[in-house]
Amino acid sequence: MDAVNEMIIEELKKDSRISMSELGRRVHLSPPAVRERVRQLEEQGIIKGFTIALDIKKMGYPIEAIIEATIKNNRYNDFKQQIQTYTNIDFCYRIAGEACFLLKAHFQTFVDAETFIDELQPFAHTKTNFVFSEVARF
Amino acid sequence: MDAVNEMIIEELKKDSRISMSELGRRVHLSPPAVRERVRQLEEQGIIKGFTIALDIKKMGYPIEAIIEATIKNNRYNDFKQQIQTYTNIDFCYRIAGEACFLLKAHFQTFVDAETFIDELQPFAHTKTNFVFSEVARF
DNA sequence: GTTGAAAGACACCATCC
DNA sequence: GGATGGTGTCTTTCAAC
């Protein structure tokens, strides 16, 4: 991870669709050289994938909630399994702190949010924070 | 946002580097047609950008923390401004709940994390949760 | 890691459905 | 709103250095 690799990552973060030639131009490297570096970054798992950034609100999910979940009755595995069945979860972290997990999910309506939280209750008690806005990206 | 657009988003989420021809093949549309749809999705702001998914731990930041910040002395703007100066923040949400903001940041060492939290104290009181792991993606 | 050449793929446009 | 076909450009890929 030298300075050139950092530049490569910076450029791909801004636009992952540029060609290897264009990327080479931007970081002052030949196409085969930059291609090989990207391949290695993928191989090392530093670059996990090429993807898109989505605006979840504009996709018809105006409600976003961050939920802290504290597991009940030792039902860790049930909780994890339940979590996997949802497609409206943006991330879920196992954390050290007051709660056991912290997750973010999105909903079309408050009714959907209520249903979601209710469904978690057998496994965890929850504390829900609704998202007003995101402070501009970094 | 019909079923085809959802397929387009799904494919680009998996690999944002495929050509418009390949994307067209996957969603059963001609290259110009799929190209136009992607253009519109960008224009509408549903697709915010083409980017990469990074493994922050493998980039030399083994420590990740989720920090809840409750603003002190009405210093909202100072806090927001301070936040913008950091490059180690993954996201920051303005939320409804016990705290005012919830942010995630990454660090090389615990000393860095301590310094970071200390620097926020003039503006907010904080509650820090360290991240053990991420529950597999969705 | 660079260069150069060949083959191929892609984007783009106009046209038509 | 989508399909087709032709053109020019750019990229990729490989070899040799």
Side-chain angles (χ1 to χ4, degrees):
Chain A
M1 270 303 294
D2 58 358
V4 176
N5 275 5
E6 280 175 23
M7 285 173 69
I8 288 174
I9 285 172
E10 220 38 59
E11 291 301 327
L12 288 177
K13 230 179 359 185
K14 282 191 285 185
D15 185 0
S16 63
R17 278 185 68 80
I18 55 173
S19 67
M20 288 299 120
S21 314
E22 174 59 24
L23 182 57
R25 245 167 263 136
R26 297 192 189 178
V27 305
H28 309 296
L29 230 57
S30 69
V34 79
R35 190 184 186 287
E36 177 59 16
R37 276 172 178 265
V38 171
R39 201 194 58 72
Q40 283 176 19
L41 286 169
E42 284 189 74
E43 197 178 77
Q44 292 167 32
I46 292 175
I47 295 179
K48 290 192 286 187
F50 299 86
T51 186
I52 47 176
L54 292 168
D55 189 321
I56 205 76
K57 287 199 202 298
K58 289 186 180 160
M59 286 182 73
Y61 297 88
I63 297 161
E64 294 173 86
I66 291 172
I67 299 170
E68 298 167 56
T70 308
I71 301 298
K72 286 178 188 166
N73 310 320
N74 223 18
R75 297 190 69 179
Y76 276 92
N77 290 333
D78 293 339
F79 176 82
K80 275 194 185 177
Q81 216 170 314
Q82 177 78 359
I83 282 300
Q84 300 291 349
T85 66
Y86 294 106
T87 57
N88 64 324
I89 296 177
D90 300 322
F91 57 70
C92 179
Y93 296 107
R94 178 82 175 87
I95 58 172
E98 219 174 276
C100 306
F101 293 92
L102 186 140
L103 66 87
K104 177 167 177 292
H106 53 267
F107 309 98
Q108 293 186 317
T109 66
F110 275 109
V111 174
D112 294 338
E114 186 182 347
T115 303
F116 180 85
I117 292 163
D118 286 349
E119 286 175 6
L120 294 182
Q121 294 310 313
F123 315 110
H125 83 78
T126 57
K127 193 173 117 185
T128 302
N129 307 282
F130 284 104
V131 174
F132 285 137
S133 62
E134 182 168 10
V135 180
R137 263 277 145 83
F138 306 94
Chain B
M1 272 300 294
D2 58 0
V4 177
N5 275 5
E6 279 173 25
M7 286 172 67
I8 288 174
I9 285 172
E10 219 41 57
E11 291 301 326
L12 289 176
K13 230 177 359 183
K14 282 191 285 185
D15 184 0
S16 63
R17 278 185 69 79
I18 54 172
S19 67
M20 287 299 121
S21 315
E22 175 59 24
L23 182 56
R25 243 167 266 137
R26 296 192 190 178
V27 304
H28 310 296
L29 231 57
S30 69
V34 80
R35 189 183 186 287
E36 176 60 16
R37 276 172 177 265
V38 172
R39 201 194 58 72
Q40 283 177 20
L41 286 168
E42 285 189 75
E43 195 178 78
Q44 293 166 32
I46 291 175
I47 295 179
K48 289 193 286 188
F50 300 86
T51 186
I52 48 176
L54 292 168
D55 189 321
I56 205 76
K57 288 199 202 295
K58 289 186 179 160
M59 286 182 74
Y61 297 88
I63 297 161
E64 294 173 87
I66 290 173
I67 300 171
E68 298 167 57
T70 309
I71 301 299
K72 287 178 186 166
N73 310 320
N74 223 17
R75 296 189 70 178
Y76 276 92
N77 291 334
D78 294 339
F79 176 83
K80 275 193 184 179
Q81 216 171 315
Q82 177 78 0
I83 283 300
Q84 300 291 349
T85 66
Y86 295 105
T87 57
N88 64 324
I89 296 178
D90 301 320
F91 56 71
C92 178
Y93 296 107
R94 178 81 175 87
I95 59 172
E98 217 174 277
C100 306
F101 293 92
L102 186 140
L103 65 87
K104 176 167 177 292
H106 54 266
F107 309 98
Q108 294 186 318
T109 67
F110 275 109
V111 173
D112 293 339
E114 185 181 348
T115 303
F116 180 84
I117 292 164
D118 285 351
E119 286 175 6
L120 292 182
Q121 294 310 315
F123 315 111
H125 83 81
T126 57
K127 192 174 115 184
T128 302
N129 308 281
F130 285 105
V131 174
F132 285 136
S133 61
E134 182 167 10
V135 179
R137 263 279 145 84
F138 308 92

